Amino acid sequence: MVTINCSRGVPKITYLSTPKITITNLFSKRASLVAIVAAASSFSSMSYDTELAAAKKAASLAARLCQKVQKELLQSDVQSKSDKSPVTVADYGSQALVSFVLERELPSESFSLVAEEDSGDLRKESGQETLQRITKLVNDTLATDGSFSVPTLAAEDVLRAIDCGKSEGGSHGRHWVLDPIDGTKGFLRGDQYAIALALLDEGKVVLGVLACPNLPLASIGGDSRHSSHDEVGCLFFAKVGAGTYMQSLDGSSPIKVHVSTTENPEEASFFESFEAAHSLHDLSSSIAKKLGVKAPPVRIDSQAKYGALSRGDGAIYLRFPHKGYREKIWDHAAGCIVVTEAGGVATDAAGNPLDFSKGRYLDLDTGIIVTNQKLMPSLLKAVRESLEEATSSL
Ligand SMILES: Nc1ncnc2c1ncn2[C@@H]1O[C@H](COP(=O)(O)O)[C@@H](O)[C@H]1OP(=O)(O)O
Ligand SMILES: [Mg+2]
Ligand SMILES: [Mg+2]
Ligand SMILES: [Mg+2]
């Protein structure tokens, strides 16, 4: 529902849930007309087509920047953040680029971005050389897209674009959610990583885009053989109620994708983090064994796992971070809609849906599990039993 409140002649529009328009305290006929036109145009944009096009463009350009850096990776491009996790010129450059492109492409919308990186270290004396390199990378990448007739961005513009990502998100209004490089450790190893961008509207994920520059276009499922000749670079995108599509980052026609429909755990393979520090591999293998999964785990970095799952490369994703780790919304928002619109289910270890409306962090029980609708009940049972066994053996 859209409510228009024109108490002082200025129409204020609030979205509620069902498609009905109410106009309260109208001041004049003119005000009411303005209000109805504004509501109708805002309402029609609820198809999120413009936002999706902008998100695809932003993530594809960011992927281009990241690919360039990964090819030329220099030791000086890697810094350590205060939590000791790595950050590269590509993480910063990707965030600046996505922030800049979204604002440019959607000038009529108020812009709120919840993103991983901030410019603190780049504003220090020691960060100046890195900042110059990032600024050049962003400008060079923008120049590869003919549609930006912008003058060259200055270092200060880049810092400002990065810092747009400080929003707290929440359950009201619209917020973009960005991980500029998800799986930085995979990126540094030359393996999988993703640029993950989603839009929250009133606390719900309404669209998501995952750019996975190193993911083969062909299946990476259990039995698939890979060769260095495999074509790589996938762009997954999903819109609420409209399904999930995949195209190549080079711009092939999108194809609709679906999760695996297997009901038989013996046929199901499962994904988990490459990094043992990110997820408890022993717990996953105990769950898989209980469930009857025969294939060994497929270990890859980043939300590329959600993308691979959405096209049926495997049937299950298990993620159990070590005690004390708090999951951030940018690590799951895009992946979650990509997999759910492809027919999958993503919950915490207790079976609760993931709630992206609580700010920058996800507030969840123990871990994240993803599979198809048919396997979910038996997966939840196996998770519960394995968690009970793990607790009783402490
Ligand atoms: N100690 C940790 N435990 C769990 N996840 C982590 C940890 N440190 C970083 N991450 C985040 O986990 C995600 C990668 O997960 P995966 O193991 O599935 O590749 C990334 O978002 C990564 O952040 P980042 O975005 O900085 O790379
Ligand atoms: Mg990081
Ligand atoms: Mg991440
Ligand atoms: Mg990241």
Side-chain angles (χ1 to χ4, degrees):
M1 175 165 77
V2 179
T3 305
I4 307 165
N5 193 335
C6 300
S7 51
R8 278 181 289 155
V10 182
K12 184 170 178 291
I13 300 165
T14 330
Y15 294 109
L16 298 172
S17 51
T18 45
K20 187 179 153 200
I21 296 174
T22 322
I23 303 172
T24 52
N25 304 327
L26 280 180
F27 203 71
S28 68
K29 276 187 184 164
R30 190 161 172 274
S32 91
L33 191 63
V34 169
I36 287 166
V37 170
S41 68
S42 303
F43 199 65
S44 71
S45 77
M46 297 271 281
S47 67
Y48 306 110
D49 285 336
T50 330
E51 289 79 2
L52 180 60
K56 284 173 70 180
K57 184 170 184 174
S60 304
L61 274 172
R64 206 175 287 171
L65 182 150
C66 294
Q67 282 166 300
K68 185 173 153 68
V69 176
Q70 202 183 41
K71 266 194 205 131
E72 302 165 357
L73 204 69
L74 304 165
Q75 203 47 44
S76 62
D77 288 337
V78 186
Q79 266 84 43
S80 208
K81 294 201 284 191
S82 52
D83 64 358
K84 301 282 180 279
S85 64
V87 60
T88 72
V89 290
D91 297 66
Y92 289 123
S94 167
Q95 182 158 323
L97 201 54
V98 171
S99 169
F100 176 80
V101 172
L102 289 179
E103 255 202 300
R104 273 287 159 133
E105 296 285 307
L106 305 166
S108 59
E109 299 184 15
S110 72
F111 184 55
S112 166
L113 176 67
V114 184
E116 181 179 357
E117 309 303 344
D118 68 69
S119 75
D121 289 343
L122 299 175
R123 289 180 187 275
K124 295 176 186 158
E125 193 54 44
S126 57
Q128 290 317 294
E129 214 180 297
T130 309
L131 176 60
Q132 293 312 319
R133 176 139 159 74
I134 296 162
T135 307
K136 180 167 181 339
L137 273 170
V138 171
N139 282 320
D140 288 351
T141 312
L142 283 173
T144 63
D145 186 290
S147 64
F148 293 104
S149 54
V150 280
T152 308
L153 299 187
E156 189 52 42
D157 303 322
V158 168
L159 293 172
R160 220 178 296 123
I162 292 171
D163 282 339
C164 279
K166 283 186 174 164
S167 167
E168 288 296 320
S171 57
H172 297 297
R174 289 184 179 191
H175 307 279
W176 289 96
V177 179
L178 170 69
D179 194 334
I181 291 190
D182 183 47
T184 308
K185 287 191 175 160
F187 177 78
L188 291 170
R189 252 189 271 110
D191 285 343
Q192 297 301 328
Y193 65 100
I195 293 97
L197 177 61
L199 178 63
L200 296 184
D201 197 348
E202 301 294 307
K204 297 268 181 279
V205 186
V206 294
L207 72 82
V209 174
L210 278 183
C212 306
N214 286 342
L215 190 66
L217 289 166
S219 172
I220 57 160
D223 298 334
S224 326
R225 299 260 173 276
H226 308 292
S227 84
S228 53
H229 301 298
D230 284 343
E231 203 188 327
V232 297
C234 302
L235 183 68
F236 297 89
F237 58 94
K239 219 173 55 163
V240 64
T244 299
Y245 292 80
M246 183 191 81
Q247 65 187 69
S248 83
L249 269 172
D250 294 341
S252 62
S253 314
I255 51 162
K256 196 161 191 178
V257 293
H258 300 277
V259 295
S260 153
T261 51
T262 188
E263 292 177 55
N264 181 0
E266 287 192 16
E267 287 171 7
S269 61
F270 78 96
F271 287 107
E272 65 179 344
S273 292
F274 182 92
E275 297 282 339
H278 291 181
S279 191
L280 299 163
H281 287 169
D282 288 352
L283 184 57
S284 305
S285 73
S286 133
I287 294 164
K289 201 164 152 205
K290 257 187 213 310
L291 199 59
V293 172
K294 292 263 182 291
V298 179
R299 291 185 176 144
I300 62 166
D301 304 278
S302 86
Q303 287 174 69
K305 290 187 276 298
Y306 284 103
L309 213 66
S310 77
R311 63 182 191 192
D313 292 7
I316 299 164
Y317 172 19
L318 299 172
R319 181 178 180 86
F320 292 94
H322 291 258
K323 209 169 162 30
Y325 183 77
R326 289 180 78 193
E327 295 278 12
K328 330 293 187 307
I329 60 170
W330 54 76
D331 283 325
H332 301 283
C336 187
I337 190 166
V338 161
V339 90
T340 52
E341 281 297 321
V345 197
T347 72
D348 70 9
N352 306 307
L354 305 184
D355 181 355
F356 293 94
S357 73
K358 295 274 161 59
R360 290 171 75 87
Y361 292 94
L362 278 172
D363 180 15
L364 50 76
D365 187 335
T366 316
I368 293 178
I369 58 177
V370 188
T371 188
N372 64 33
Q373 320 247 359
K374 287 177 190 145
L375 276 175
M376 191 49 111
S378 38
L379 176 58
L380 269 170
K381 183 167 173 284
V383 168
R384 201 168 44 243
E385 288 172 5
S386 294
L387 283 171
E388 277 166 15
E389 281 173 17
T391 320
S392 62
S393 70
L394 284 179

